[in-house]
Amino acid sequence: MCGIVGYSGLRPAVPVLLNGLKRLEYRGYDSAGVALQVDGGLVVEKREGKVASLAKALGGIEGSSGIEASTCGIAHTRWATHGPPTRANAHPHVSSRRLALVHNGIVENHAALRGKLRAAGYEFVSETDTEVLVHLVDSNYAGNLLEAVTEALHDVEGTYGIACVAADEPGVLVVARRGSPIVIGLGEEETVVASDAAAIIKHTRQAVYLDDNDVARIEGGEVEIRSLDAMPVTRAAAEIDWSDDAAEKGGYEHYMLKEIFEQPEAIRNTIRGRMDADRGNAILSGLNLAPRELAEIRRLLIVGCGTSMNAGLVGEYAVEDFAGIPGEVEQAADFRYRNPIVGSRDLVLAISQSGETADTLAAVREAKDKGALVAGLVNVVGSTIARETGRGIYLHAGPEISVASTKAFTSQVSVLLMIALKFARGHRMSRERGMEFVREIEALPGLVERVLARNDEIAAIAGRFVEFEHSFFIGRGYLYPVALEGALKLKEISYIHAEGYHAAELKHGPIALLEKRVPVVALLNDGPGKDKTLGNVAECQARSSPVLGIVTEGDEEARRAVDGCIEVPPAPLHTAVVPATVALQLFAYHVARLRGCAIDQPRNLAKSVTVE
Ligand code: AGP
């Protein structure tokens, strides 16, 4: 999820572009760049690292390059998906015929397009999917940028939000969108375009949001929108009524809430291009393992910390349940100091959103020393764990800013289900069952959307929890990791002491703590184990603990058994994990908000624990 800004008008473009990038830096910040129209040519500057590095570089060439006089340009701050965060991979990408382009999204058929363009004589200087786009536009360019972009996009599969300029068309920007937002800010004889309104509201609150397959030509204050079929399109302008602070967070009060609501899109990005519906299988090329090598693996050993470890538990259950191979989750620090029994028939999967967690990195190194096959399940491209494992699967969930991990968890679970499918299809799972499994995974974004629609209802329920200081979360089977994750969310952002327990474990000690001031959150999704957990609920209520149930929509038995409930859509338990967790993410968020806690930066916590 990258940041895009473009400007065409009467003012100097550089300040508009840099200020816009700074407002979007939360979207991606591993490299940044600009392309500016100057005296009939293009000046392109790109730097690794934050926008400040780019600003310093531009300051250094003002006066000599003429960029201070430029009134038209594009800019980008990158969240790497294809190719590590290097200067060469930073956007804008350019073509020899004096075009420059920035992109947010994923070009799924970039490899095929790269081959065709190479055969046509194009040379590539980066590892990105985006560079394919600028050469594709170039191959269609005959002096009309709008036409060239429109033609090129017919060949593109995947998602894009793009902005493009040509040296030979002064003052002209062309933008387009499919799956990644582009908003056009309408000013007096000027236009600011961006991937997010946060970069626009400083200049105007009148905005036009492109729809999928829209292409727009902008020149000063003139905006012409067309479809990919080159037909004129009318898009009504809307008033952006965000506060400045809210704009930083895409209109949400906290990054955590924004990231909770991003989950349907994040999961779509995670599974995009990785599901083979016809063969009922997953396409996980990043594992770089042939079916025969996969068949040789005798155990999946998962290492991680915190939320990543909780997600790993779902993976453990799924590979055992569907692939019939042993799965085991280890707390990364424990793994590295325990002299574990690990060998060449083990696949050690290191799960880490940041890719920098010290304990998980150490576990990777220990596993490699013991001869295991190691892979990473990481969100940050080019991070240390991603590089040191050398193989794995990127989440593509976009930057997760809030310390409390939310969309990373549901994306991790989505990938783990795909890994379980991959192993299962290499063992006893039939093609038909695999096709059904693919549909179950593809249904995840819709399940999450149905929970998000209950946000206000969950906020009201959270209001009854605000005064408590202690709580338990209980679940069984696939729902046990959900209990752990729900408890972790509540404790880390609301500071209410919350313990996640296997539902059957409560009576082996913790039940001594139950009384009316100690509520219990019970995972009661309809499926195997629910009846036993209903029995545990009765045991809790017999000790006067109020019980909040996560129950399946329409399950009257479960609804009647609890003192309050949050309903989630029906789903098989291995995928019910995701909507149930989202319900508990929203629950924890609203309890913390009502307690006035510093939700995005809770006390004592860091987003990435890079020390032991
Ligand atoms: C989860 O909300 C916490 N932020 C924390 O437990 C986190 O999951 C853990 O530190 C692991 O981080 P990683 O996924 O970046 O390795």
Side-chain angles (χ1 to χ4, degrees), residues 305-308 351-355 357 403-405 488-489 492 609:
C305 301
T307 286
S308 294
I351 304 181
S352 176
Q353 188 286 132
S354 63
T357 299
V403 166
S405 191
L488 175 59
K489 287 291 95 49
E492 70 176 324
V609 183

Side-chain angles (χ1 to χ4, degrees), residues 153-181:
L153 292 178
H154 282 102
D155 295 338
V156 173
E157 294 168 17
T159 57
Y160 56 78
I162 60 172
C164 192
V165 288
D168 298 335
E169 298 184 47
V172 174
L173 294 175
V174 172
V175 296
R177 166 221 155 112
R178 184 196 294 157
S180 293

Side-chain angles (χ1 to χ4, degrees), residues 256 303-310 350-358 360-361 377-380 385 395 400 402-406 408-409 412 485 488-489 492-493 602 605-610:
M256 182 177 178
V303 293
C305 301
T307 286
S308 294
M309 182 172 66
N310 293 338
I351 304 181
S352 176
Q353 188 286 132
S354 63
E356 300 299 344
T357 299
T360 309
L361 176 58
L377 204 172
V378 174
N379 195 31
V380 180
I385 290 172
L395 292 185
E400 189 176 69
S402 189
V403 166
S405 191
T406 50
F409 177 87
Q412 287 164 350
E485 180 58 14
L488 175 59
K489 287 291 95 49
E492 70 176 324
I493 62 171
L605 295 183
K607 182 58 185 168
S608 178
V609 183
T610 56

Side-chain angles (χ1 to χ4, degrees), residues 81 128 147 159 269 279 297 373 448 464 505 555 572:
T81 54
T128 66
E147 289 177 3
T159 57
N269 286 336
R279 298 174 66 169
I297 290 167
L373 205 53
V448 173
R464 293 154 46 188
E505 186 59 19
D555 184 345

